[in-house]
Amino acid sequence: MMTASHYFSSRPLWGDEELVLKNIQAPGYSSIFAKFVEPQLFPRVQLTVVKFIAAHFNNNVWSLRFISFITMLTAFWVWIPVFKRLKDPHLIWLAVLSFVASFRLVYYASELKPYAMDVVSSGLFCWFLLYVSEQGDRVQNFAALKPTTNNQQPTTGALYLMLGACLLPLLLFWSYGAFFLFWLVPVQFFLLSLKDKKWRPYLWASVASSVLCFIIFYFIDLRFSLNIHATYDYWDSYFISTHSVKDFFATFFDGTRKLVAFWFGNTKAFIRLGTPLIPIFVIGLFYNGIKDWQANKIAISSVMVIALVIFTELFLFGIFRKYPFTGERITLFFAPLVFYVLIKTLDGMKKIRLLGTVCMIYYVGFCFFSLINTAVFFVRTFR
């Protein structure tokens, strides 16, 4: 309801959106697959579809934001199967509440920016990586997953695995967030193939598709995006500083704080209220992520492992000044993983009794406070 209220409020385009619109209004579609008229980061294929839809409606704000609206609604349903790995119905509902209450997820569902698609792509990759791991755990005789030959009918599991291996890398053309996850699919198949050679057809299919898609993605998109100096100048304060030990920890803490708390509200008050969640997130991420990896070294077997890998990527890219480590919209695809890590860790803290109970009550209250704030804000916007 809040997402629909925001979308149908017809909020006027603002600064960045107006710059994207100028790129859309450039004559022809070939201009999209070149240096933009206005410096912006936007996946070219997605922008082509936005341009095509908007052209039929005279660039009405609804048509310009339609892709974001539909993809964020889709993202909600894509992430639910991932949240179900929490197993406890109460925890699953809390994860859903976190998603629905998030001001940022609702806001970017109606924005002429690509962040909603990032949330979809990260959810699809997480779902598939977990699905592959489950297939490896369930099927002791891997022959059941071997690609078929001659007139044999493929099993459902084999079909899904091959489709995922071949098609998921296509998300690179739609989402920059997919860059952080697409390579994990061939790695997953490689780790499983170390145990059984029958995983190799999926490995080769995944590697071939991933390499081919990345090469095409680089030439039609990434090589232009990497040369937008205005964007990197804007990001300067979003990287992790290595000028001194003090600057390093200051920027690391600020980035982690925003990665954890930025999603819940639209004011600094939510950042401050979310600060107590930082140690819970960091300790839970590393403790559970490393423990899960050690428990199953042959596969990416849990959401915690995926979250730890992405967090490490963001840290390294932030150190080398290639991608912002500091949270905010450019890392929106990480938000559902933050919810999962927090809830999983808080559930594990129930063994500490009073402290665990207090922390869980605090998080639930924080989510409800965020929900009320988000609902009030977007209902007023619609009016």
Side-chain angles (χ1 to χ4, degrees), residues 78-86 123 126-127 130 303 337 340:
V78 166
W79 274 99
I80 286 179
V82 178
F83 291 152
K84 285 183 177 178
R85 268 61 180 190
L86 291 166
C126 286
W127 175 85
L130 296 170
V303 180
L337 289 169
Y340 186 99

Side-chain angles (χ1 to χ4, degrees), residues 21-36:
L21 178 59
K22 289 182 180 180
N23 292 321
I24 290 175
Q25 291 174 327
Y29 287 90
S30 60
S31 61
I32 293 178
F33 298 93
K35 186 176 180 180
F36 282 154

Side-chain angles (χ1 to χ4, degrees), residues 26 209 286 381:
S209 179
F286 282 91
T381 300

Side-chain angles (χ1 to χ4, degrees), residues 9 13 66 79 233 235 260 277 302 308 375:
S9 68
L13 299 180
F66 180 74
W79 274 99
D233 291 340
W235 282 349
V260 174
L277 300 174
S302 76
L308 180 58

Side-chain angles (χ1 to χ4, degrees), residues 26-27 38 62 72 97 100-101 124 128 188 203 211 231 271 288 291 303 306 316 320 335 340 344 360:
E38 296 290 344
W62 290 354
M72 190 63 83
L97 172 64
V100 172
L124 287 172
F128 185 71
Q188 178 81 306
L203 170 62
V211 171
T231 300
I271 300 293
N288 291 300
K291 184 178 72 172
V303 180
I306 298 171
L316 293 175
F320 292 105
Y340 186 99
K344 184 73 173 180
M360 178 61 84

Side-chain angles (χ1 to χ4, degrees), residues 32 34-36 39-44 176 217-232 235 322:
I32 293 178
K35 186 176 180 180
F36 282 154
Q40 283 288 302
L41 283 177
F42 208 115
R44 264 62 177 182
Y176 291 139
F217 166 65
Y218 174 80
F219 281 103
I220 70 171
D221 191 319
L222 192 60
R223 67 190 178 111
F224 302 112
S225 301
L226 290 174
N227 294 320
I228 303 178
H229 298 294
T231 300
Y232 283 90
W235 282 349
K322 297 299 181 182

Side-chain angles (χ1 to χ4, degrees), residues 96-360:
V96 171
L97 172 64
S98 303
F99 194 107
V100 172
S102 170
F103 178 90
R104 303 298 174 178
L105 288 173
V106 174
Y107 181 85
Y108 288 110
S110 298
E111 178 91 347
L112 181 53
K113 297 292 282 184
Y115 309 123
M117 185 63 76
D118 289 343
V119 182
V120 173
S121 66
S122 63
L124 287 172
F125 276 111
C126 286
W127 175 85
F128 185 71
L129 289 166
L130 296 170
Y131 176 77
V132 173
S133 178
E134 288 177 352
Q135 291 296 309
D137 291 338
R138 287 178 190 162
V139 185
Q140 295 180 353
N141 178 11
F142 286 90
L145 294 174
K146 186 177 180 180
T148 57
T149 57
N150 301 328
N151 295 322
Q152 293 176 317
Q153 294 297 317
T155 64
T156 302
L159 181 61
Y160 286 163
L161 289 171
M162 188 57 73
L163 285 174
C166 295
L167 298 181
L168 277 179
L170 293 172
L171 288 170
L172 280 171
F173 301 115
W174 291 81
S175 163
Y176 291 139
F179 178 83
F180 291 89
L181 287 144
F182 87 101
W183 63 276
L184 289 176
V185 176
V187 167
Q188 178 81 306
F189 285 125
F190 171 74
L191 294 173
L192 288 170
S193 68
L194 294 177
K195 181 177 180 180
D196 195 291
K197 295 180 180 179
K198 293 185 176 68
W199 286 100
R200 288 185 178 177
Y202 304 104
L203 170 62
W204 302 138
S206 179
V207 169
S209 179
S210 297
V211 171
L212 179 61
C213 287
F214 181 77
I215 292 174
I216 298 173
F217 166 65
Y218 174 80
F219 281 103
I220 70 171
D221 191 319
L222 192 60
R223 67 190 178 111
F224 302 112
S225 301
L226 290 174
N227 294 320
I228 303 178
H229 298 294
T231 300
Y232 283 90
D233 291 340
Y234 173 77
W235 282 349
D236 187 62
S237 61
Y238 288 60
F239 298 123
I240 296 177
S241 175
T242 55
H243 294 145
S244 67
V245 174
K246 179 181 178 181
D247 289 344
F248 172 83
F249 282 105
T251 52
F252 176 77
F253 175 78
D254 182 61
T256 305
R257 181 173 63 172
K258 289 182 178 177
L259 277 174
V260 174
F262 179 77
W263 324 116
F264 293 92
N266 58 325
T267 65
K268 291 183 179 179
F270 286 91
I271 300 293
R272 290 193 290 269
L273 288 171
T275 299
L277 300 174
I278 295 175
I280 297 173
F281 171 80
V282 173
I283 294 172
L285 177 67
F286 282 91
Y287 175 78
N288 291 300
I290 294 173
K291 184 178 72 172
D292 288 354
W293 175 257
Q294 290 177 336
N296 193 350
K297 294 181 180 179
I298 60 141
I300 300 167
S301 58
S302 76
V303 180
M304 286 291 191
V305 173
I306 298 171
L308 180 58
V309 170
I310 298 176
F311 184 84
T312 303
E313 286 185 272
L314 289 171
F315 174 79
L316 293 175
F317 275 84
I319 283 281
F320 292 105
R321 307 178 71 79
K322 297 299 181 182
Y323 199 89
F325 173 74
T326 301
E328 302 188 11
R329 55 189 183 174
I330 199 77
T331 50
L332 188 67
F333 65 91
F334 193 61
L337 289 169
V338 170
F339 306 151
Y340 186 99
V341 171
L342 285 171
I343 294 168
K344 184 73 173 180
T345 306
L346 288 167
D347 182 56
M349 289 176 63
K350 62 187 179 184
K351 300 175 183 177
I352 312 178
R353 297 184 181 180
L354 181 59
L355 177 61
T357 302
V358 170
C359 289
M360 178 61 84

